[in-house]
Amino acid sequence: LHSTAFPNKGLYYLGGLTESTETIAVFVCMCLWPAWFVPLACGFAALCGLTTATRIVAALNALGDGR
């Protein structure tokens, strides 16, 4: 795949709900409020799953045959 906006760029990242800042924020919250560890972990896992699903769909759209 080639980008007209960044022709010399070699890596491309898809957007998602769980990126670096969100991950750090959740880990900080887990340290500050350890009693909330399980709900935070489960919620973050759900968001990671949603991000994975949207990235798979984006990859299929980008690399698929256009169906």
Side-chain angles (χ1 to χ4, degrees):
L1 300 175
H2 297 341
S3 171
T4 56
F6 304 101
N8 297 325
K9 187 174 180 181
L11 295 173
Y12 299 94
Y13 295 99
L14 295 172
L17 296 173
T18 52
E19 301 294 335
S20 58
T21 304
E22 294 81 6
T23 303
I24 293 169
V26 170
F27 286 171
V28 167
C29 289
M30 288 175 176
C31 291
L32 292 174
W33 300 289
W36 284 87
F37 180 87
V38 172
L40 287 168
C42 291
F44 191 70
L47 291 176
C48 287
L50 184 59
T51 297
T52 300
T54 59
R55 287 181 178 180
I56 289 171
V57 170
L60 291 173
N61 288 334
L63 303 174
D65 60 1
R67 283 193 260 172

